[in-house]
Amino acid sequence: MTTPLEAAYAPDAFRTTAHALMDQLADYLKAALKGGDMPVLPWAPPSVNQERFATPFPEEPSAEPAGAFAHLMARVLEGSHHLHHPRYVGHQVTAPLPLAALCDGVSSLLNNGMAVYEMGPIATAMEHHVLAWMASRLGLPDTTRGVLTSGGSAGNLTALLAARQAKAGFDAWNGGAHAGPPLTVLVPRSAHYCLARAVRIMGWGEGGLTPVDVDASFRVRPDALEGALQGALRQGRKPIAVVASAGSTATGAFDPLEPVADFAREHDLWFHVDGAHGAAASLSAKYRARVKGIERADSVVWDAHKGLLMPALVTAVLFRDGARSFDAFSQEAHYLFHVDDARPFSDVGLRTLECTKEMMALKLYTCLSVLGTRLFEEAVTASYDQAQAFAGMLTAAPDFQLALPPDCNIVCFRHTPAHVPPEDWDALQVRLREALVTSGKFYLVQTRLPDGVYLRTTLIHPLTRDADLEALLETLRGAAKP
């Protein structure tokens, strides 16, 4: 007599269910990529979806587990946000490669946590090679080592923890945030909010982040760095690092990395580049100049779930001096790590926030190996080219206003029809976005710039076409009619 627990692990039942799921997913992917009448986001208020998925969770298994599973997955697919829809132009999360998604299934089934080498031997080797490839594309030296972690927020925190240990002048990890003078990091005003969050996590408070002014294109002003540093010193803070953005979140602006690197070297500061979005420009011969100077960074963060078409979350944290990768989390856990003097790179848990970490490298290693690197180079170039073309459409349209020429695949703009006075433009953009998102016709976001609210698109789906963007403008015009 087979018990319910034995049945739950039965390979033949798994084979049948998995084959049916693959057919289901392939049909879904075909429909999503086509777009058509499928909404990008089948909008429903939170309370509605809470009610739709309310269930008592039965004590006994379903009489037909395969059928129950297929029915549930159909509901999940139907009601979820469809990032593979070509009219998804919203947040900086890509339409992942189907091959990469299959790797997630392998990773979940193997469940090889990677704190120590023996728990994830293959994933550890793959991570080493993926990181080496990424470092080489950025122009970083052979001494570079790093880790993969769960997103840009964790990645930036990891880099700043290492910067603290390297530049604070005291052992903040063991002695605490108040074992020495209060510290601070120079950060552009346009940088991602996770950097402000990171310094607070480290116990530095609001003053742990010293803002640096940006120019009209939202790029950090190198001539403002000295004033920011002196201001921090007058407030009794010790600056230890300077951060630059390679593709800021709000507008996609690339800071001028070379002069920031010069300033960091002159003042003996750690130079960190938040390249979560824009480090992928290094893959494109046409746009590589955007990240000129990134090879001089002490640390770089790069999200593979943005420009490298991976499912979330896969973030690389790269350290120019590989030994510094141990500085972020320099503690001992003797039940895991059995080495007293040497610190092996093969034990990933010594250098990451996570202990039990999924096989993040598997999907990127697999896609690079099977699909080749040119696919990624072409995808980055095409998305940046499309942003330039979209900016041209907006500039040519008298009823739209481009915020600024795009540096990457992020485009900010607003609809300014003649019948709406300028003082009502902000409210119009908010209303238009809500109308498009709740209708399911498009998914885009909004941002606030100094002169008001703008619509914001990230052209991150590799199969979005210019015709989709032309349709976006026409849909906005229709929604704005009185």
Side-chain angles (χ1 to χ4, degrees):
M1 180 69 177
T2 302
T3 67
L5 192 58
E6 290 171 331
Y9 282 89
D12 288 341
F14 172 71
R15 188 191 316 278
T16 300
T17 302
H19 284 176
L21 176 62
M22 288 303 104
D23 288 340
Q24 197 172 18
L25 289 175
D27 289 343
Y28 164 77
L29 185 63
K30 182 178 181 179
L33 292 172
K34 183 180 179 182
D37 294 331
M38 173 187 279
V40 183
L41 170 62
W43 173 255
S47 59
V48 171
N49 275 326
Q50 288 278 77
E51 180 61 29
R52 284 175 179 169
F53 285 86
T55 178
F57 295 124
E59 183 174 337
E60 298 298 329
S62 169
E64 292 290 339
F69 176 74
H71 177 67
L72 178 57
M73 291 304 102
R75 294 176 63 205
V76 170
L77 292 171
E78 181 183 11
S80 292
H81 201 148
H82 305 311
L83 274 66
H84 284 93
H85 195 298
R87 294 186 176 181
Y88 172 87
V89 289
H91 292 289
Q92 296 155 275
V93 184
T94 193
L97 291 165
L99 187 64
L102 293 179
C103 293
D104 269 341
V106 175
S107 173
S108 294
L109 188 65
L110 288 172
N111 206 27
N112 277 203
M114 295 177 60
V116 290
Y117 169 76
E118 63 196 46
M119 278 300 294
I122 300 304
T124 300
M126 287 182 168
E127 183 163 316
H128 171 82
H129 291 295
V130 162
L131 290 166
W133 176 78
M134 296 173 86
S136 70
R137 298 314 301 258
L138 293 174
L140 290 165
D142 292 342
T143 56
T144 301
R145 298 290 185 274
V147 291
L148 296 178
T149 191
S150 303
S153 295
N156 280 307
L157 174 61
T158 300
L160 292 184
L161 284 167
R164 181 183 68 174
Q165 203 71 352
K167 297 293 186 179
F170 60 94
D171 186 358
W173 181 264
N174 292 302
H178 303 294
L183 306 176
T184 193
V185 178
L186 309 183
V187 177
R189 292 187 184 276
S190 57
H192 193 267
Y193 71 87
C194 73
L195 292 158
R197 180 177 288 180
V199 300
R200 285 168 170 80
I201 290 171
M202 292 190 288
W204 300 0
E206 183 180 3
L209 187 147
T210 298
V212 184
D213 289 338
V214 296
D215 62 20
S217 297
F218 304 99
R219 304 183 187 108
V220 73
R221 287 174 42 205
D223 62 344
L225 288 167
E226 184 65 35
L229 184 142
Q230 295 303 323
L233 292 172
R234 285 193 296 272
Q235 293 175 10
R237 294 273 177 174
K238 178 181 178 180
I240 64 164
V242 58
V243 176
S245 298
S248 66
T249 300
T251 65
F254 283 72
D255 289 329
L257 303 182
E258 290 272 48
V260 179
D262 291 340
F263 179 84
R265 181 174 58 189
E266 178 184 353
H267 294 279
D268 192 27
L269 301 175
W270 182 281
F271 177 34
H272 174 62
V273 176
D274 179 3
H277 185 81
S282 62
L283 303 180
S284 169
K286 186 174 181 179
Y287 294 102
R288 189 174 298 137
R290 297 280 198 272
V291 291
K292 181 174 173 54
I294 201 169
E295 71 281 357
R296 298 173 60 187
D298 293 296
S299 56
V300 177
V301 162
W302 181 355
D303 284 355
H305 53 274
K306 293 186 171 70
L308 292 177
L309 308 176
M310 292 295 108
L313 291 163
V314 185
T315 294
V317 191
L318 296 161
F319 294 93
R320 181 182 190 83
D321 176 357
R324 288 294 182 191
S325 65
F326 290 99
D327 288 350
F329 306 103
S330 54
Q331 71 181 91
E332 296 299 327
H334 292 294
Y335 69 96
L336 285 176
F337 312 117
H338 307 293
V339 181
D340 293 327
D341 299 319
R343 297 183 298 180
F345 277 96
S346 56
D347 286 342
V348 177
L350 289 166
R351 296 173 288 124
T352 60
L353 185 65
E354 304 95 339
C355 179
T356 304
K357 188 181 80 168
E358 69 163 339
M359 302 168 69
M360 293 181 183
L362 174 61
K363 44 199 166 190
L364 184 52
Y365 182 98
T366 297
C367 290
L368 289 170
S369 300
V370 175
L371 302 178
T373 61
R374 185 177 299 161
L375 178 143
F376 299 94
E377 298 167 10
E378 291 177 352
V380 172
T381 300
S383 68
Y384 284 36
D385 282 348
Q386 189 172 59
Q388 299 294 323
F390 187 39
M393 285 184 212
L394 292 162
T395 302
D399 55 341
F400 284 91
Q401 184 181 94
L402 181 68
L404 69 164
D407 275 355
C408 59
N409 56 340
I410 296 175
V411 184
C412 298
F413 66 99
R414 59 186 175 187
H415 186 31
T416 57
H419 70 274
V420 179
E423 60 267 24
D424 293 336
W425 285 352
D426 283 3
L428 176 64
Q429 311 315 310
V430 174
R431 180 170 66 82
L432 290 176
R433 177 188 180 269
E434 182 177 7
L436 266 65
V437 169
T438 56
S439 72
K441 294 178 180 178
F442 285 88
Y443 185 82
L444 71 169
V445 296
Q446 66 189 49
T447 190
R448 178 172 286 277
L449 301 180
D451 61 338
V453 175
Y454 282 78
L455 300 172
R456 176 180 168 278
T457 58
T458 304
L459 307 180
I460 202 164
H461 190 320
L463 300 182
T464 295
R465 301 296 181 231
D466 289 349
D468 295 306
L469 301 177
E470 291 167 355
L472 170 61
L473 301 189
E474 285 305 313
T475 305
L476 288 167
R477 287 184 175 114
K481 287 181 179 178

